[in-house]
């Protein structure tokens, strides 16, 4: 299982560029030993509450408490991901394309931007992501270009008026202070929105780009598809709730799916009131559960998941001793 997740990366350290505080870049070495060493240092201290919550953090906690611990509390280094890197570059293109004059917002320009951004990163990341395999790198790049093609089919940037786009890559933040006295306060909540559009009514539409396929384009059952759709929209409801704390009015949500062989897909929601109420309830419930786990100061009390793509089981095997894992099994 370890080799399946990390392939050649488990045997040797690799260079991983990560974004550091205030936008600076640093170089880190990712290896199993680094995960162990960082976890050893973290385990010397009592567990502490996270500094903030974001939509991805709340979702991560609901899906796998153990991975939430590793990623958002201990902040352990993560294995490299070609898919994540491609998503970052595609998002960057879709942000910057609207900085250009309308006549220059073409698919050719978008392709050129993607290639240029990858050229800037390629020297430090090519071996890390593709193990010097040119065919893998080529297929990865073509998939990125195909996502941009799908976007231009769904929306033509040349037809978008500058006044329509209210903001791109906008951070929203709220310090929630009206919490029960038993919980640590304030709760800082923040997120980064891909795009905000203005509507004909003068309200806002939250737009989110996703580089995966739309749930409706899968072969899963209808109930499972609806569950996936609701999970995808939770992030946007979260953004809409944050904007309302800043006294903006949000009337629409739009997810633009860029992946899949069938082309892109747009999913929209226009009735938000009940869902926005649920966001605050979910935040409070999540913060309460995290607080109880932190107060217990038992890392293994954070439950793992059974998803094949999650690294929680790998990290657990690296961090905890066989006797600790055996004791956990007996307690379950």
């Amino acid at each position: 299982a370890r080799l399946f997740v990390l392939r050649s990366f488990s045997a040797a350290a690799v260079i991983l560029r990560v974004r550091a505080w205030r936008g600076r870049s640093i170089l880190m070495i990712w290896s199993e030993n680094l995960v162990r060493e960082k976890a050893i240092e973290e385990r010397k201290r009592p567990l502490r509450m996270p500094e903030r919550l974001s939509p991805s953090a709340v979702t991560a906690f609901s899906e796998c408490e153990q991975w939430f611990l590793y990623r958002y509390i201990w902040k352990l280094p993560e294995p490299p991901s070609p898919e994540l890197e491609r998503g970052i570059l595609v998002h960057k293109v879709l942000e910057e394309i609207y900085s250009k004059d309308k006549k220059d917002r073409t698919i050719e320009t978008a392709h050129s931007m993607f290639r240029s951004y990858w050229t800037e990163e390629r020297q430090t990341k090519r071996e890390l992501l593709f193990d010097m395999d040119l065919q893998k790198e080529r297929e990865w790049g073509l998939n990125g270009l195909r996502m941009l093609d799908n976007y231009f089919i769904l929306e033509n940037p040349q037809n978008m008026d500058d006044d329509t786009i209210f903001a791109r890559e906008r951070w929203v933040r709220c310090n929630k202070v009206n919490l029960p006295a038993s919980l640590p306060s304030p709760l800082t909540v923040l997120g980064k929105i891909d795009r905000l559009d203005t509507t004909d009514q003068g309200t806002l539409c939250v737009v989110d780009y996703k580089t995966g396929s739309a749930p409706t384009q899968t072969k899963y059952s209808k109930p499972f598809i609806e569950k996936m759709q609701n999970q995808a929209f939770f992030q946007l409801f979260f953004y809409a709730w944050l904007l309302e704390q800043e006294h903006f009015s949000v009337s629409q949500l739009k997810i633009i799916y860029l992946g899949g062989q069938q082309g892109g897909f747009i999913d929209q929601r226009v009735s938000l009131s009940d869902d926005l109420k649920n966001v605050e309830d979910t935040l409070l419930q999540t913060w309460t559960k995290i607080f109880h786990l932190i107060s217990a100061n038992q890392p293994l009390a954070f439950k793992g998941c059974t998803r094949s793509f999650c690294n929680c089981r790998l990290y657990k095997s690296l961090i905890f001793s066989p006797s600790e894992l055996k004791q956990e099994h007996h307690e379950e």
Side-chain angles (χ1 to χ4, degrees), residues 226-245:
E226 290 178 353
K227 178 182 177 182
M228 293 173 67
Q229 288 176 311
N230 290 333
Q231 288 177 341
F233 270 104
F234 171 76
Q235 181 179 357
L236 277 71
F237 289 129
F238 199 109
Y239 293 148
W241 178 83
L242 281 169
L243 286 165
E244 290 210 340
Q245 309 313 300

Side-chain angles (χ1 to χ4, degrees), residues 265-280:
F265 181 81
I266 294 180
D267 200 356
Q268 300 187 71
R269 300 272 176 101
V270 293
S271 179
L272 311 181
S273 57
D274 292 339
D275 294 289
L276 293 187
K277 293 177 183 177
N278 292 335
V279 168
E280 190 158 355

Side-chain angles (χ1 to χ4, degrees), residues 203-220:
T203 57
L204 294 179
C205 172
V206 177
V207 181
D208 190 61
Y209 305 124
K210 294 196 179 299
T211 52
S213 301
T216 52
Q217 295 176 326
T218 65
K219 297 180 180 179
Y220 297 112

Side-chain angles (χ1 to χ4, degrees), residues 44-271:
K44 291 178 181 177
R45 298 187 288 266
L47 290 176
R48 59 198 183 279
M49 290 293 287
E51 298 175 356
R52 61 186 69 88
L53 286 182
S54 64
S56 57
V58 173
T59 300
F61 183 80
S62 67
E63 293 177 343
C64 182
E65 296 175 4
Q66 191 79 193
W67 186 246
F68 176 88
L69 168 69
Y70 302 147
R71 184 175 189 182
Y72 293 97
I73 297 179
W74 284 352
K75 300 184 182 349
L76 302 183
E78 300 177 40
S81 168
E83 291 76 18
L84 177 60
E85 179 66 23
R86 182 172 56 210
I88 291 172
L89 297 183
V90 169
H91 275 73
K92 187 175 181 180
V93 171
L94 296 181
E95 175 192 3
E96 296 299 330
I97 193 75
Y98 286 101
S99 298
K100 299 184 178 298
D101 293 336
K102 278 190 175 183
K103 62 181 178 61
D104 296 323
R105 299 175 190 172
T106 64
I107 187 60
E108 291 78 16
T109 299
H111 283 192
S112 177
M113 293 168 70
F114 182 88
R115 292 189 177 99
S116 176
Y117 293 153
W118 174 235
T119 299
E120 294 173 4
E121 302 289 341
R122 190 173 187 262
Q123 184 174 356
T124 56
K125 295 185 178 180
R126 177 189 170 200
E127 183 174 1
L128 165 70
L129 296 172
F130 308 110
D131 199 24
M132 304 301 286
D133 189 322
L134 285 175
Q135 184 59 29
K136 288 182 180 179
E137 181 184 1
R138 181 177 182 275
E139 292 175 359
W140 172 90
L142 289 175
N143 281 332
L145 298 179
R146 191 175 300 114
M147 290 174 185
L148 294 172
D149 291 341
N150 288 340
Y151 175 72
F152 273 75
I153 292 172
L154 297 170
E155 289 189 330
N156 186 344
Q158 291 183 317
N159 294 335
M160 294 281 285
D161 293 330
D162 293 337
D163 292 341
T164 300
I165 299 178
F166 181 79
R168 292 174 282 117
E169 297 294 319
R170 187 185 191 278
W171 284 99
V172 282
R173 180 188 183 105
C174 168
N175 289 324
K176 182 172 173 53
V177 294
N178 56 330
L179 298 173
S182 59
L183 296 177
S185 179
L187 163 56
T188 299
V189 187
L190 81 167
K192 190 177 184 181
I193 303 173
D194 289 341
R195 200 178 83 205
L196 282 172
D197 293 347
T198 56
T199 68
D200 294 338
Q201 294 74 36
T203 57
L204 294 179
C205 172
V206 177
V207 181
D208 190 61
Y209 305 124
K210 294 196 179 299
T211 52
S213 301
T216 52
Q217 295 176 326
T218 65
K219 297 180 180 179
Y220 297 112
S221 65
K222 184 176 180 180
F224 187 76
I225 288 175
E226 290 178 353
K227 178 182 177 182
M228 293 173 67
Q229 288 176 311
N230 290 333
Q231 288 177 341
F233 270 104
F234 171 76
Q235 181 179 357
L236 277 71
F237 289 129
F238 199 109
Y239 293 148
W241 178 83
L242 281 169
L243 286 165
E244 290 210 340
Q245 309 313 300
E246 297 185 10
H247 307 293
F248 289 104
S249 177
V250 179
S251 62
Q252 296 180 32
L253 307 176
K254 180 163 66 174
I255 298 178
I256 302 179
Y257 291 95
L258 304 173
Q261 298 299 321
Q262 303 175 41
F265 181 81
I266 294 180
D267 200 356
Q268 300 187 71
R269 300 272 176 101
V270 293
S271 179

Side-chain angles (χ1 to χ4, degrees), residues 47 290-298:
L47 290 176
I290 294 171
F291 176 66
H292 289 157
L293 287 167
I294 294 295
S295 299
N297 200 36
Q298 296 292 330

